[in-house]
Amino acid sequence: MGKFTDKMAQKVRPAWQGKYMDYKVLDTQLEVIANQPAKMHAQGDFHFKKATEQQLKTVNSFFEEKFAELENSLKSGSLKPETNTPEGWAALADKKAIELKHLEEYANLNYEGFQKILVKHDKIMEVKMLSAFMLDLDHNPTSFWKRCQQLRELVNLISGLYEKAGRYERFEPVNESTNKDVSYWIPQSNVFEVFVRMSAKLPIHDNNTNFTYIFLENDEMKTYAKRVLSTGDSVTGKVPGIVAERENDSFKNHVCAIERSEGFKKERCEINETDIDQVLKGKSVPIVNSNESSEKFLKEICNELTSQKLKPFTSSRYTRTFFKNSRDNKLEISVDSNIAFIKEFHIKDWNWGTHAGRVPDDNEISDFPFAVVRVRVRNYGIPKWIDDLVTEGLMKEVPHFSKFIHSCVLFASNKITAHPHWVEENPEFSFLSKQDEEEDYRAQEVEVEVGRTQPKPESSSNQQKQIQVQQQPTPTRGGSGGSGGFLSSLFSRSRVAPVIKGPPPKADPKAFLANERTYLNWNQQAITLGTFGIALFSVSNSSSPYAGLGLVFLAIIVLFYNQYQFRRRWRLLQNKAQPLQFLDPYGPFFLTTLLVLTFSTALVLDMDNVTSAEL
């Protein structure tokens, strides 16, 4: 049957046998359809769709059942260990963590199974299922995949069990007196395991907070040059920026912060978001919770903005989970997932209200294929369990990684000559070292399924600590950003609107011809409506003239709307846009609505005339 059938057979939990999607049954149905004459495909496709829907119903129901069981046991307050000791609480926490991981694996395997079987279906059948089916999985609140987003709440509850077990990090002095700030990358397929293991060592201080960070730079990119050329353990070059916490479709409390950071040192002041544009012009504004140091810092920033001609250059959007022991600040860990970088410097007259929370165009945004971990220790060494995660290949160290630097390389490669070390050392970003090869990379080095970007794994000849990016199904970026298995769902942030990213597909001449045929078909329908309307308008009795007039106006609207859609799709084809962007969910609905209104009005008028005549 294939590799995935074998994979499912190996990963299915015996206790849950019969509760997974049955890839083998669906695959057999497709083989039967493929061997039938074309005229029989419609009937076979009907039965295939019914079987797929039934399997999805089974998966949704079972996932909901197991999710509810785990959630109720953690929230009920009646959960007790076998022995009321730290060891007993630790064993209980480990047990619940394993149950949570089983749910995550169940969701991953079924998602991948549905995706693969529908890719195969769409290669055989003329009527496609993949895009609509996966989109429903991503956004339908009753689907198992959408429900996965709520697993983060259960991770918090399990973290509470570890706290009762006293398993959290206890710091012992080491022969080091320096602060350390180390960055790591986690492939999306490993984020869940790393996240749970971290929660067993350090409390979750803040979970799933969505941020937008605007980096300020000038056209000469002086800050970039200073930072990227830094060597040794310290990084020089202060990067000023604007950071705001997103809450649904707006910024939390309508407050933003101006920041400037260099290593462990961070300066910050908070202002109302309505004053951001004034600050960007170098003007002082009222500060929230003002004090002498914040007033001084804001003045420095305003002077820096005007003297160095700084402007919004790039930005990043991400979801942060923060681990910290409330008793001290000796160890702090942040995990940023769903990272997306956005181009800002090309916008003239940039302003906060219009551009900070906008939905970027496809050529303005790029997903980052890893989650970024930042470990900060003060006067202590890096904990051994962090080194163990690296040794086991779950994450890898990337010294001095900077979102600011990476975003500059992504969108301003023609302005720079020096690249950061991670661009040179990681095959995923080799295209960035050549100014003119970004489109080749998008087309050749990335595999896309339903608008999801997956970098190719590194070769097996790499060293043990060099992580391979496992190819795994990922949810849409509802989202930017990003990519990467169940964890993009687990750590998903609420963006203004979902943005489906990936390399542009190859242009197909047949698509242009199909666009023209669609245009001609709609025109034909408009002409038919107009002709029928003129005929009715010429009838002098009853309400026919009113119905005819309505149909004529409707035909004119359809003609103009059809012209608009034709030009829009033509531009999308030229720009090699993603398939879902060609959909038109509104045209048929409004056409049907207007027709119903036209005929209903005519019918009411005609009945009124009949009633008047009888009287």
Side-chain angles (χ1 to χ4, degrees):
M1 280 291 176
K3 294 182 179 179
F4 185 73
T5 305
D6 297 336
K7 178 180 178 179
M8 282 206 75
Q10 294 173 1
K11 291 197 170 185
V12 165
R13 299 191 68 231
W16 294 357
Q17 191 76 36
K19 301 299 183 180
Y20 293 79
M21 65 88 60
D22 198 329
Y23 183 89
K24 187 174 181 180
V25 167
L26 295 178
D27 192 39
T28 302
Q29 286 191 21
L30 287 180
E31 288 182 3
V32 172
I33 294 173
N35 294 326
Q36 289 178 339
K39 62 181 181 180
M40 300 287 291
H41 282 187
Q43 183 178 0
D45 193 30
F46 173 77
H47 293 295
F48 176 84
K49 289 179 180 177
K50 285 193 65 175
T52 305
E53 290 170 0
Q54 183 59 44
Q55 291 197 20
L56 176 61
K57 186 177 179 180
T58 299
V59 173
N60 285 341
S61 176
F62 183 74
F63 184 88
E64 181 64 30
E65 176 189 338
K66 290 298 177 182
F67 182 94
E69 286 180 8
L70 183 57
E71 182 181 39
N72 292 336
S73 67
L74 290 170
K75 288 185 175 181
S76 64
S78 59
L79 200 61
K80 301 293 181 183
E82 293 182 2
T83 58
N84 192 18
T85 62
E87 292 76 13
W89 283 106
L92 180 61
D94 288 340
K95 178 183 177 182
K96 294 302 175 181
I98 291 173
E99 291 179 18
L100 187 62
K101 193 170 190 316
H102 286 161
L103 265 182
E104 178 261 342
E105 291 173 347
Y106 177 82
N108 260 342
L109 192 60
N110 283 289
Y111 186 96
E112 187 178 2
F114 282 121
Q115 188 180 54
K116 286 184 177 294
I117 199 65
L118 292 178
V119 167
K120 191 169 184 179
H121 167 274
D122 285 7
K123 290 179 180 178
I124 298 172
M125 304 302 299
E126 184 177 350
V127 179
K128 312 302 180 186
M129 284 182 63
L130 179 64
S131 296
F133 188 93
M134 304 310 287
L135 202 62
D136 183 68
L137 275 189
D138 292 333
H139 299 290
N140 189 334
T142 63
S143 78
F144 73 93
W145 193 251
K146 183 68 174 177
R147 285 284 280 160
C148 283
Q149 296 180 15
Q150 299 177 23
L151 282 176
R152 60 181 178 270
E153 299 175 8
L154 306 189
V155 176
N156 288 344
L157 296 173
I158 292 174
S159 177
L161 296 179
Y162 281 120
E163 190 169 11
K164 292 181 179 179
R167 281 265 294 267
Y168 286 141
E169 189 76 9
R170 296 289 185 268
F171 294 95
E172 300 295 336
V174 296
N175 295 325
E176 295 188 31
S177 59
T178 58
N179 298 330
K180 285 192 174 183
D181 186 348
V182 186
S183 296
Y184 302 85
W185 286 352
I186 313 176
Q188 296 290 354
S189 55
N190 295 343
V191 175
F192 183 78
E193 183 170 354
V194 171
F195 185 79
V196 172
R197 288 176 62 169
M198 283 184 176
S199 69
K201 296 293 185 179
L202 204 63
I204 299 175
H205 188 267
D206 192 12
N207 192 14
N208 292 283
T209 306
N210 303 318
F211 287 101
T212 292
Y213 200 110
I214 312 292
F215 300 108
L216 304 177
E217 176 64 296
N218 54 33
D219 290 330
E220 290 76 26
M221 299 182 66
K222 292 181 180 179
T223 305
Y224 171 88
K226 191 173 183 179
R227 284 180 66 90
V228 81
L229 295 176
S230 300
T231 57
D233 292 332
S234 62
V235 178
T236 58
K238 297 181 179 181
V239 181
I242 307 167
V243 61
E245 181 180 340
R246 291 201 64 86
E247 191 174 55
N248 299 323
D249 291 337
S250 61
F251 294 102
K252 188 174 182 180
N253 300 325
H254 302 287
V255 172
C256 305
I258 307 293
E259 288 189 354
R260 186 173 61 187
S261 61
E262 184 177 20
F264 273 78
K265 185 179 180 182
K266 178 182 288 187
E267 301 166 285
R268 174 188 176 99
C269 69
E270 293 185 347
I271 63 175
N272 291 318
E273 64 173 325
T274 53
D275 295 328
I276 288 291
D277 294 329
Q278 295 299 314
V279 172
L280 292 175
K281 295 176 182 178
K283 299 179 180 180
S284 294
V285 298
I287 297 177
V288 178
N289 300 323
S290 175
N291 56 50
E292 184 177 348
S293 61
S294 62
E295 293 283 355
K296 180 181 177 182
F297 169 63
L298 183 58
K299 288 181 180 179
E300 291 178 5
I301 286 292
C302 290
N303 292 333
E304 191 174 337
L305 284 164
T306 53
S307 62
Q308 298 185 25
K309 298 181 179 179
L310 298 178
K311 64 180 182 180
F313 200 77
T314 58
S315 66
S316 64
R317 299 178 186 177
Y318 52 92
T319 301
R320 172 164 292 179
T321 300
F322 193 66
F323 297 84
K324 178 184 176 180
N325 197 323
S326 58
R327 295 188 294 270
D328 56 55
N329 62 350
K330 296 174 183 176
L331 174 62
E332 297 176 353
I333 299 177
S334 63
V335 181
D336 294 344
S337 55
N338 284 352
I339 302 173
F341 297 107
I342 300 165
K343 181 180 177 181
E344 307 285 356
F345 61 83
H346 66 297
I347 299 176
K348 293 182 179 180
D349 301 323
W350 193 97
N351 68 81
W352 180 264
T354 303
H355 300 112
R358 76 186 192 280
V359 179
D361 294 335
D362 281 351
N363 60 351
E364 295 177 332
I365 188 167
S366 177
D367 287 326
F368 192 65
F370 300 96
V372 175
V373 177
R374 191 173 183 182
V375 178
R376 289 184 172 190
V377 291
R378 292 174 171 85
N379 299 324
Y380 288 88
I382 299 294
K384 182 180 180 301
W385 59 270
I386 293 288
D387 293 332
D388 291 341
L389 293 175
V390 176
T391 303
E392 294 173 28
L394 294 173
M395 63 185 192
K396 65 178 176 181
E397 182 178 346
V398 186
H400 308 323
F401 174 75
S402 163
K403 297 188 187 77
F404 164 70
I405 290 177
H406 194 79
S407 66
C408 289
V409 178
L410 278 170
F411 299 116
S413 59
N414 60 324
K415 297 183 179 182
I416 61 179
T417 56
H419 293 86
H421 67 88
W422 61 82
V423 169
E424 308 293 342
E425 295 169 0
N426 292 275
E428 295 84 11
F429 305 117
S430 60
F431 74 101
L432 292 174
S433 61
K434 300 177 183 179
Q435 296 182 8
D436 58 347
E437 290 191 3
E438 181 170 352
E439 291 303 321
D440 290 339
Y441 167 79
R442 292 178 184 275
Q444 299 173 13
E445 296 297 319
V446 182
E447 294 183 3
V448 175
E449 294 179 352
V450 201
R452 299 166 171 81
T453 307
Q454 290 291 328
K456 287 188 175 181
E458 300 172 6
S459 63
S460 58
S461 61
N462 289 351
Q463 297 179 353
Q464 179 181 4
K465 292 185 181 181
Q466 198 74 4
I467 300 179
Q468 293 186 353
V469 181
Q470 301 177 15
Q471 297 181 6
Q472 196 154 315
T474 63
T476 58
R477 280 190 334 130
S480 126
S483 61
F486 159 70
L487 267 301
S488 285
S489 171
L490 180 64
F491 298 101
S492 64
R493 62 180 172 275
S494 298
R495 291 193 177 174
V496 177
V499 181
I500 300 176
K501 278 292 294 176
K506 295 181 180 179
D508 185 357
K510 294 181 180 179
F512 288 92
L513 297 176
N515 187 35
E516 291 181 5
R517 286 195 299 271
T518 304
Y519 173 73
L520 293 174
N521 286 337
W522 275 82
N523 274 356
Q524 183 181 5
Q525 298 303 319
I527 292 170
T528 302
L529 281 175
T531 303
F532 188 51
I534 291 172
L536 285 177
F537 188 72
S538 63
V539 178
S540 59
N541 62 322
S542 73
S543 63
S544 298
Y546 300 105
L549 188 63
L551 290 177
V552 170
F553 278 114
L554 180 58
I556 294 173
I557 292 172
V558 171
L559 286 171
F560 279 108
Y561 184 77
N562 187 32
Q563 179 67 22
Y564 161 75
Q565 287 292 349
F566 174 74
R567 297 300 304 169
R568 183 182 73 87
R569 288 174 175 141
W570 185 275
R571 286 192 297 271
L572 291 174
L573 287 169
Q574 288 179 319
N575 295 330
K576 301 177 182 178
Q578 295 296 331
L580 289 179
Q581 293 178 275
F582 292 88
L583 297 179
D584 176 19
Y586 306 112
F589 171 76
F590 285 119
L591 176 61
T592 303
T593 302
L594 290 172
L595 280 172
V596 170
L597 288 175
T598 299
F599 288 120
S600 298
T601 303
L603 181 60
V604 170
L605 291 174
D606 194 54
M607 291 177 66
D608 187 54
N609 290 338
V610 171
T611 304
S612 300
E614 290 177 351
L615 293 175

